[in-house]
Amino acid sequence: MSVIIILLTIIIGVGVLAYLRASLVVTTVAAAIGLLVLGKITGGPVASFLLILAWVVWAYVACLNLREFRYRFFTAPALKFFRTALPTISKTEQEALDAGTVWWDAELFSGDPNWNRLLELPVEELSPAEQKFLDGPVEKLCAMVDEWEISREHGDLPAHVWQFLKDEGFLGMIIPTEYGGKGFSARAHSRVICKIASRCSTAAISVMVPNSLGPAELLLRYGNQAQKDHYLPRLACGDEVPCFALTNPFAGSDAAAIPDKGIVCRGTFNGEEVLGIRVTWEKRYITLSPVATVLGLAFHLYDPENLLGDATDVGITLALLPTDHPGVETGRRHFPARQAFQNGPTSGTDVFIPLDWVIGGQERCGDGWRMLMNCLAAGRAISLPASSTAGLKVCARTTGAYAQVRKQFNLPIGKFEGVQEAITRIVVNTYLIDSARYVTAGALDAGEEPAVLSALLKYQATERLRQSVNDAMDVHGGRGICDGPANYLMSAYTAAPVAITVEGANILTRSLIIFGQAAMRCHPWLLAEIAAAADTNESRALIAFDKALFGHIGGVLSNIARTLVKNASGGLLGSDPSVGEVNYWYAQLERASTSFATVVEFALIQLGGALKRKEKLSGRFADIMGEMYLMSCALKRFEDDGRPDVDLPVLEFAFQNSLHTIYVRLDEIIANLPSRPSAWVLRRLIFPWGRRWRRASDQLGTEVSNLLVTSPSFRARLCAGMYFNDSPDDVIGCLEHAVRVTEVSEAAEKKIREAIDCGDLPAYCDDVVDEARRLGVISEMEAEQLRLTQSALRRAIDVDDFAADELWGRVPETPQAADAA
Ligand SMILES: Cc1cc2nc3c(=O)[nH]c(=O)nc-3n(C[C@H](O)[C@H](O)[C@H](O)COP(=O)(O)OP(=O)(O)OC[C@H]3O[C@@H](n4cnc5c(N)ncnc54)[C@H](O)[C@@H]3O)c2cc1C
């Protein structure tokens, strides 16, 4: 009995002290009191032996309070071991790690997120000028463009649309007003892209590129005054059309390895001999390159004659070249995913450019990778999340309405459970990604440049778009597959792989970038430990390492205790009751975050630097971070929207399934960690009762699906921000029109069905409506209404057909015709 009391007291005591993050001094004193009391109340030889053992451990812990002892017998050996286990970090990796900021990602990583940091983030309304732009030029642009016409007939935006984009300042949204640009906030920028992309991806991409990573952004951050004064006003009004070229046939994902090179040399420019660079490049996939007037170019700079300084290998360098400069070869086009936006290769051999063309001038030579990483940290959070949100909204709005008006087996297809499953996924994806888009844009406006979150959001948004557009296609059946002007899904369907591939291809982003960077940057102590270990001043290194290490140990012990308590209590201990009906989900998210942090520590301890190469584990950690981030954003949006009751089923469904994914991934990670005993411990901590998280119920899924299918107001609210033309003649407006008229004529339709069922009306007559009117089953007004409904329904379900020569420019020869000839 005494032995059990001793063991239990020690375990609970250590757990409580760890949970409360007690300091070393408090732990020492509390442990001494505990052991004294145990000595008084227990007895027997085994108990005495245990107590002696406990006192020995206590003595060591107590000695750790003495700084010199701690440094010598604990911190120094730990530092020595840590240095041998450290992963090697290349210069380009370090620059990627240094880019941007950490924000809510660090909170989720800590295992104890401070909700105020998220909930108090101000996501302000648009300014009057921004709102005016959205309601005016953006609306007008959307009405002007037609994706089908552009892709089939023009192969580009028509000239008058390009001119409109330039005249209205679409290409200069990120350029400050002092240079003639719009100076828009990230929120406005995101909303503009979202609206255009919901109408026409070619127009959206043509607007996105000049406003994302490229010449304007690079100049704003790193350009010298002369370069800014020259280019920014011209970019703002569209006199210059930019593109940015990094990708080489031999360096795609591994862009830091580009073989394109520049050699510092003297040459003649404008009749004068100047210091410059002889550049040779071969780039591909460059968006807007065929129409660009200014080329942002990344190349590796070498200075063999040391004309700039001591370094021969200067590093990646970025320059701006007018595309009419002799030697710049552009103009041909790629045809990515059969989309009409401008994209093509560019090349040049031994093209001499003056040093002034390097962005930021000579002092920025070799700084290119860092410049790119910094721009990417923020830029990746806007364009692709906004355009993916647009695609999701198109899927949601059209699929919801279509599932209501399309009937099979005498029922709207939205009533079939199989269809509901797909629709529910579309609703949840749309809600989550729009929430994350909104919150992340707000964070950018608040000064954050969240490098990890922007990669994570790019991945989640584009993957969920791909899933939802497939679901939307499935629900539409042949209506979604046959291409033509009436098909509103095909463009998003074909363009989804483009979004998946650009700005960091998704497999790489998921399995290497997100967690690889987060583990270093968001971890509360790791970076400090690495910095200390890299310090060559031994005494300074020891002091800094000691501080970081003890913080780390305290954090790990606390997270272990919290993981057990939260999982054993079903996540209910530690929740904040002030947040009302969604309190439960805050508590569950905290529980997931704590469990995640604990598993991360176990993985880091076992694998150290090798974790970087364990992409399957890293990808699963990235999935967990993705789910946690989207759920956090959903909670923030729910609060900002004033907690609308109607959104609760969506939120609940999203949470149930996200938590299911999180615990499945945790389980998979634990199963694949090398140490079996640690896996055993982790399973006890995370699944103390053995149960995994269940997916959301079928009933809840139906509730969510019904919201989209049967409630036009919910559809409109969920899809707010996409371009929507209410006209019965519009490609999407016709669906909502069909919904409206169907509702009006429902009673008349019922009368006809009943008359047919009773045999009063023959089902086989030529025109049932006419016959029903003639027999007095329905009134003239009802007959008129039904005719309107029939034509609206026809418009909503019709697909296009073409003469063969309309599609291929000639009538293809059939085998029969060939035989006859
Ligand atoms: C339509 C389009 C527009 C583009 N626009 C531009 C532009 O304007 N400017 C520009 O410079 N570039 C542009 N790109 C290039 C784009 O950024 C690259 O395509 C992208 O970086 C991937 O390179 P890659 O296609 O060569 O694929 P690869 O690098 O060959 O990768 C192939 C696959 O391997 C995966 N992979 C590679 N390395 C790893 C790893 N370590 N771990 C796990 N998976 C890995 C990738 O995720 C991918 O799935 C564009 C590309 C396209 C298709």
Side-chain angles (χ1 to χ4, degrees), residues 244-247 251-254 284-287 336 341 343 498 501-509 511-512 615:
F244 186 76
L246 173 65
T247 306
S253 301
D254 187 9
R284 63 177 182 179
Y285 307 148
I286 309 307
T287 305
F341 66 90
N343 183 283
V498 175
T501 304
V502 299
E503 294 191 4
N506 274 9
I507 296 181
L508 169 95
T509 302
S511 46
L512 190 72
E615 290 197 350

Side-chain angles (χ1 to χ4, degrees), residues 336-356:
R338 302 192 170 207
Q339 298 279 308
F341 66 90
Q342 295 279 354
N343 183 283
T346 163
S347 61
T349 307
D350 288 336
V351 177
F352 182 78
I353 63 169
L355 212 54
D356 288 351

